[in-house]
Amino acid sequence: MQLFQFRLQGRVQLGLRFGQQTGRFGLNFTETLQAFQREALGREQPAIERMETFLDEYLDLNTVVQQVLAFFQNYHGKAELLLQEDPEILPPLQRPGKILCIGKNYVKHAEETGSKPPTAPVYFGKVADCIIGPNDTIHMPRDFGRVDPEIELAVVIGKPGFQVKQDQAMDLVAGYTILNDVTARDLQTKAKDTGHPWFASKNYATFCPLGPAITLKEYVHDPHDLEMVLAVNGEVRQEENTKQMIFSIPVLIETLSHQLPLRPGDIIATGTPHGISPLADGDVLELSIQGLGTLKNTVRAV
Ligand code: MG
């Protein structure tokens, strides 16, 4: 069960993909939800066109998605709700409240950067202005020196929580997607060496490819057992299983929410495995995580 955002005739809308029943290109979820509210609940409501709005309004996504799908099965105007062509897929979230990223959460990656594995989660932020979607172009400023991609499992928060304990933490999760934590490695090394923050090396417009969809957590067997592969021009550079994470998702949620409230739409990028390497102009990146799909982007030196 995957929710995505697409653009059709200039409008951003939500889509849903789930097996055969949602057709080849998916279901227009924005229109189906509105038809469900009107016909099944007797409520005229404005269309929900943004993932952030949907996450804010519905805390139990799987229940509402199942209700809407059941309605769709018997709806007389069913055919009109199926997408008839391959839509332009946008990032599944464009204005999340925050993007919290974990550094050095895989032992071999910590080692390849010359660091010891941390004893508590290390984190930093990326801002929403860096987000791009599937098939968009990553811009690599020539004066930045080395720029690396980093494949990461991204957790999408669906329920608010502050100072949440590990045993309650997974209740906050709505689903998962793929995030590429693009990093200006030379700038980061210089920042580390001089004791300055990493911010500039992690935040350049286009440095946060995200997508292609949010897979609801109920349809991910175990987020701590997913194969992930990053290929550049078809050559595998990073390949690891999320079971190698040092700090699990509940530990990350407990740590981050101790300091900041987590809210629907917030993203936690859980860290990248070993195999980091520099990008070049014209590279084609494909980031795949088991059950979540593939996030593809090209690179352009600017
Ligand atoms: Mg990273």
Side-chain angles (χ1 to χ4, degrees), residues 86-148:
D86 207 1
E88 180 196 352
I89 306 290
L90 302 173
L93 291 155
Q94 291 168 302
R95 290 283 174 269
K98 51 193 168 296
I99 308 167
L100 300 168
C101 303
I102 310 301
K104 300 187 271 194
N105 201 23
Y106 287 81
V107 172
K108 285 195 234 166
H109 170 63
E111 288 170 355
E112 76 182 340
T113 62
S115 325
K116 285 205 175 87
T119 51
V122 173
Y123 51 93
F124 57 91
K126 266 174 125 80
V127 301
D129 301 82
C130 298
I131 292 176
I132 57 171
N135 304 313
D136 288 342
T137 303
I138 299 167
H139 292 165
M140 195 174 68
R142 288 193 169 87
D143 60 356
F144 272 21
R146 174 175 165 170
V147 172
D148 298 357

Side-chain angles (χ1 to χ4, degrees), residues 99-104 121-126 150 152 181-183 188 197-199 201-203 256 267 269 271:
I99 308 167
L100 300 168
C101 303
I102 310 301
K104 300 187 271 194
V122 173
Y123 51 93
F124 57 91
K126 266 174 125 80
E150 294 186 353
E152 305 200 8
D181 175 22
V182 180
T183 303
Q188 188 191 33
W198 297 358
F199 190 86
S201 69
K202 293 287 188 178
N203 285 278
L256 296 168
I267 296 169

Side-chain angles (χ1 to χ4, degrees), residues 92 151-154 176-180 209-213 287-290 292-295:
I151 185 170
E152 305 200 8
L153 171 69
Y176 304 94
T177 188
I178 305 169
L179 185 148
N180 184 354
L210 187 74
L287 286 69
S288 303
I289 300 185
Q290 199 181 345
L292 307 187
T294 298
L295 175 62

